[in-house]
Amino acid sequence: MTTPDPIYKTDALIAENIDQYLETHQHKTMLRFITCGSVDDGKSTLIGRLLYDSKMIFEDQLATLEADSKRSGTQGEEIDFALLVDGLAAEREQGITIDVAYRFFATEKRKFIVADTPGHEQYTRNMVTGASTADLAVILIDARKGILTQTRRHSYLVKLLGIRHVVLAVNKMDLVDYDQDKFNQIVSDYREFADTIGIEDFTAIPISGFKGDNITGASENTPWYKGTSLLPHLETVSVEDSLEQAEPFRMPVQWVNRPNLDFRGFSGLIASGTVRPGDEVRVLPSGKTSTIDKIVTFDGDRDMAVAGESVTLTLADEIDCSRGQVIVASKSPLEVADQFESTLVWMDEQELVPGRAYWMKIGSQTVSATVQEPKYEVNVNTQEHLASKTLDLNAIGIANITTDREIPFASYEESHDLGGFILIDKISNQTVAAGMLHFSLRRAQNVHWQATDLGRDHHASMKHQKAAVLWLTGLSGSGKSTIANIVEKKLARMNRHTFLLDGDNVRHGLNKDLGFTEADRVENIRRVGEVAKLMTDAGLIVITAFISPYRSEREMVRSMMQPGEFVEVFVDTPLEVAESRDVKGLYAKARAGELKNFTGIDSPYEHPESPDMRIDTTAMTPEEAADAIIARLIP
């Protein structure tokens, strides 16, 4: 009998050890946490120290870190651990974190994903991004400075975003000679503040990210501290996945999986609960019911799936279900509404414009939404409710939101996936706010659309025409009203049924309560759009003459109409030509400072990028312009 070569025995043992390691590693729990706080509290240094002490740095990375520390570090000849995380050149130059940096590391007990979030007030929006998926927050405080405004703001956001576990890491204790009284005072001050915002419990630890005190083990420099050090606390804090699994089943549909004619499944990430074949489910907002036929995954069909897993579900019945809808347990349906109270964290340098339509992305669906004037803004330092007509960068406020259709939802406290949302500017495509739904408004539950027997097609056919909106936009003095008036007269001679909505005339009645601020201009156009929509329902050809300076509001009105009904006519007149006409003397007043918020002078006009028609008033007469518009309307 041949004796196995020792080298093969060694290889087999190594392979067995690797397999055992991978099996163990695969079943470790995962903790997602963030570090946050004010500028230069040592967040990046702390993460760098955790990576270093958990042996997650390769030798070549360590060599590079040592070289970078000497060249651009802030710790003299010693290692600057912050450089492991601050990857942007601007961050290294300024010594601050700008973007969210995600890092993965693991210990024998647990896997971690940590988000290093910026402390600078200008980048608070990035902190919200990092905190949105976190289980725990490490709030750092510089022991020399104590609690600062940004500490309060980040703590408030941590509470607002529903992060259950909070660690108060009083950092840089080495710079205050590990003073116990200093630590106790900071903890006392923070506890007083935490009580006001509803943080009931937190773990306070005195640390030095730079020196490594109380990071992986007890420090000799703080013999007076008897609590746990940071890493052991992170390894043992409970991850409450079981809470989501105990909730009713809910899964937003992200994709309708139709690889062939014989298979139709609905794919998504299970937001809460547990699902099994045979379970009765309901599809919202339609309310259609069915039962689960199969739970399909890449590894084969499953007997059960739980919250946090991505699966494809097939249903026993052929019912309508598409992306954005939500499959829920039949006996525990979600509420469906189109008006809500919400908390908004404003993340854009351009302030909120009440009444403007934004894209609202919630779960797997995107809808159009308008935000009303805030009920109040929250002072993060005192928790006072401040009167406010808008929200600017980093402001936190309470406001009502209306969507263009009913959506299934849960309160954010109940479900982050179905109650959390972002707002996106329709023109710039920038994310402008993050929000949390509280509840639907009572009137949204009690006001329903009343069906009528005679519809818009009947009204239009009675008039022997197709309904339309001719939307004339341009600067004051461009000739909109003159052209609109001629168009209506010509259409009247053709026995067409029309109505002319003129900007000045509307402000004498329907919109007489509105001024000329950006928010008032937005509301002015919203109301006119709603009136125009009612008139098209009546089968009329609606002609409007409004400056309507913002692209987003013109697109909002377009979205109200049926496809092809809205015709944007850009009455293109250069500012100098429009000002030279100045039949009402408005430009002269604006130039003299007697008329504020005048379009073209101290208020912008956003030219249409792709209008349906462009009228050059320097090249054609009003009569010619009117004929061109009618030719476009009635070929």
Side-chain angles (χ1 to χ4, degrees):
M1 183 175 179
T2 304
T3 304
D5 192 317
I7 190 169
Y8 294 113
K9 293 176 65 176
T10 303
D11 287 347
L13 183 60
I14 291 173
E16 183 181 345
N17 289 341
I18 290 175
D19 290 341
Q20 184 179 357
Y21 169 78
L22 292 176
E23 178 69 16
T24 303
H25 185 75
Q26 183 179 357
H27 290 91
K28 289 178 182 177
T29 58
M30 171 76 77
L31 178 73
R32 294 176 174 86
F33 71 98
I34 63 166
T35 57
C36 55
S38 194
V39 176
D40 201 30
D41 278 348
K43 298 178 292 297
S44 299
T45 299
L46 173 61
I47 295 177
R49 169 63 73 172
L50 285 172
L51 295 174
Y52 180 80
D53 288 349
S54 60
K55 307 296 189 294
M56 293 300 294
I57 305 174
F58 296 114
E59 289 186 7
D60 59 334
Q61 291 177 306
L62 182 58
T64 301
L65 176 62
E66 291 173 344
D68 288 347
S69 296
K70 293 177 181 178
R71 182 174 59 253
S72 57
T74 60
Q75 305 298 339
E77 294 298 314
E78 299 190 62
I79 294 177
D80 187 350
F81 292 105
L83 298 181
L84 281 171
V85 184
D86 289 340
L88 299 177
E91 292 177 332
R92 296 194 173 200
E93 291 169 1
Q94 301 178 54
I96 63 172
T97 298
I98 296 174
D99 203 357
V100 180
Y102 293 93
R103 291 293 184 270
F104 172 88
F105 69 99
T107 64
E108 292 184 358
K109 297 182 178 180
R110 176 170 275 175
K111 295 178 289 187
F112 301 92
I113 296 177
V114 54
D116 180 27
T117 63
H120 198 284
E121 182 176 353
Q122 181 180 351
Y123 304 108
T124 298
R125 57 187 178 272
N126 293 350
M127 179 269 174
V128 175
T129 301
S132 61
T133 58
D135 305 303
L136 178 145
V138 178
I139 300 174
L140 279 90
I141 294 180
D142 188 328
R144 300 168 301 171
K145 302 176 182 177
I147 299 173
L148 303 175
T149 296
Q150 195 69 337
T151 313
R152 295 186 177 93
R153 178 177 285 109
H154 281 190
S155 297
Y156 186 83
L157 289 171
V158 163
K159 172 61 180 177
L160 201 61
L161 292 168
I163 298 177
R164 298 184 178 95
H165 304 288
V166 177
V167 172
L168 183 70
V170 182
N171 194 23
K172 303 187 181 182
M173 288 297 297
D174 55 307
L175 300 183
V176 294
D177 297 326
Y178 303 98
D179 187 342
Q180 180 181 4
D181 291 339
K182 185 71 173 177
F183 172 77
N184 290 340
Q185 184 60 54
I186 290 174
V187 173
S188 176
D189 292 343
Y190 187 82
R191 189 176 303 281
E192 182 178 345
F193 169 73
D195 288 342
T196 67
I197 62 174
I199 294 180
E200 298 176 356
D201 189 32
F202 61 89
T203 301
I205 307 174
I207 67 169
S208 171
F210 176 51
K211 297 292 186 180
D213 294 292
N214 291 322
I215 302 298
T216 58
S219 170
E220 296 178 354
N221 294 312
T222 56
W224 42 266
Y225 175 69
K226 304 302 181 183
T228 181
S229 50
L230 180 59
L231 189 57
H233 179 72
L234 297 178
E235 288 179 322
T236 56
V237 69
S238 63
V239 180
E240 296 157 333
D241 291 338
S242 58
L243 292 179
E244 291 182 346
Q245 295 176 14
E247 295 292 325
F249 169 70
R250 290 160 183 175
M251 189 191 83
V253 176
Q254 297 174 334
W255 177 47
V256 178
N257 188 348
R258 193 75 186 268
N260 55 59
L261 293 176
D262 299 322
F263 184 91
R264 183 168 177 257
F266 308 99
S267 303
L269 176 70
I270 300 176
S272 65
T274 302
V275 64
R276 296 176 178 84
D279 286 354
E280 295 183 357
V281 293
R282 187 183 302 271
V283 177
L284 297 176
S286 70
K288 299 291 185 180
T289 59
S290 183
T291 57
I292 300 295
D293 183 29
K294 294 180 181 178
I295 302 173
V296 182
T297 70
F298 181 79
D299 297 321
D301 293 356
R302 298 268 296 276
D303 294 329
M304 182 181 72
V306 299
E309 294 184 317
S310 294
V311 297
T312 296
L313 304 178
T314 63
L315 303 180
D317 304 286
E318 289 289 336
I319 62 175
D320 181 32
C321 182
S322 58
R323 174 179 168 81
Q325 296 185 327
V326 184
I327 302 175
V328 303
S330 182
K331 295 181 180 179
S332 301
L334 288 169
E335 190 176 347
V336 176
D338 60 3
Q339 296 181 52
F340 316 89
E341 184 188 85
S342 68
T343 295
L344 286 179
V345 181
W346 198 253
M347 302 162 66
D348 193 50
E349 293 181 0
Q350 298 295 321
E351 66 182 19
L352 162 71
V353 180
R356 171 166 291 174
Y358 298 93
W359 291 123
M360 177 181 178
K361 186 170 178 58
I362 177 169
S364 58
Q365 61 187 323
T366 301
V367 297
S368 183
T370 56
V371 184
Q372 297 181 18
E373 185 176 294
K375 295 181 178 180
Y376 57 85
E377 182 180 335
V378 179
N379 183 319
V380 296
N381 287 309
T382 64
Q383 305 310 301
E384 286 182 280
H385 294 176
L386 307 175
S388 178
K389 293 184 176 297
T390 184
L391 298 174
D392 53 19
L393 181 63
N394 297 329
I396 302 169
I398 307 299
N400 290 343
I401 289 182
T402 301
T403 55
D404 63 345
R405 61 180 182 271
E406 290 189 327
I407 59 174
F409 81 102
S411 69
Y412 185 79
E413 185 177 356
E414 183 182 356
S415 171
H416 291 188
D417 292 318
L418 296 169
F421 64 90
I422 60 172
L423 295 180
I424 302 170
D425 186 273
K426 288 189 172 182
I427 301 301
S428 68
N429 212 34
Q430 293 267 59
T431 298
V432 297
M436 290 127 270
L437 297 180
H438 299 167
F439 49 79
S440 65
L441 303 182
R442 184 176 299 277
R443 61 178 175 273
Q445 300 171 350
N446 298 327
V447 178
H448 304 281
W449 190 267
Q450 179 63 46
T452 56
D453 293 331
L454 299 181
R456 62 195 331 273
D457 291 340
H458 173 81
H459 294 144
S461 65
M462 289 286 290
K463 298 174 177 63
H464 305 289
Q465 64 186 32
K466 182 181 178 181
V469 174
L470 299 173
W471 191 275
L472 278 65
T473 176
L475 293 170
S476 176
S478 62
K480 300 183 300 299
S481 296
T482 300
I483 296 171
N485 192 47
I486 296 173
V487 167
E488 185 176 40
K489 288 192 295 183
K490 287 178 176 288
L491 287 174
R493 295 190 196 110
M494 300 167 69
N495 293 320
R496 304 291 175 171
H497 297 259
T498 64
F499 196 89
L500 174 59
L501 289 170
D502 184 80
D504 284 350
N505 293 348
V506 167
R507 283 186 176 273
H508 284 288
L510 176 67
N511 293 342
K512 66 180 180 180
D513 60 319
L514 300 177
F516 291 90
T517 64
E518 185 175 2
D520 283 346
R521 288 179 184 274
V522 170
E523 177 61 13
N524 180 53
I525 298 304
R526 188 197 68 79
R527 293 183 191 178
V528 170
E530 294 288 356
V531 171
K533 182 178 184 300
L534 292 174
M535 290 182 170
T536 58
D537 286 344
L540 296 175
I541 297 172
V542 185
I543 308 159
T544 75
F546 290 84
I547 295 174
S548 50
Y550 304 120
R551 296 188 192 104
S552 58
E553 276 60 66
R554 298 194 295 266
E555 287 303 309
M556 174 184 66
V557 178
R558 183 190 294 274
S559 69
M560 294 179 184
M561 309 302 167
Q562 297 295 314
E565 263 186 9
F566 183 88
V567 181
E568 184 180 44
V569 181
F570 176 29
V571 184
D572 188 0
T573 304
L575 176 62
E576 57 273 16
V577 175
E579 190 169 358
S580 68
R581 296 170 181 170
D582 202 17
V583 293
K584 302 175 185 176
L586 301 179
Y587 282 101
K589 290 182 178 179
R591 292 290 186 189
E594 300 172 6
L595 190 59
K596 300 296 183 183
N597 301 316
F598 190 76
T599 304
I601 304 301
D602 58 349
S603 185
Y605 178 79
E606 297 174 355
H607 292 73
E609 294 179 334
S610 302
D612 299 299
M613 287 192 70
R614 177 178 173 273
I615 301 296
D616 183 355
T617 60
T618 64
M620 62 174 65
T621 66
E623 286 279 345
E624 293 170 335
D627 288 337
I629 293 171
I630 292 174
R632 169 68 169 74
L633 180 68
I634 308 173

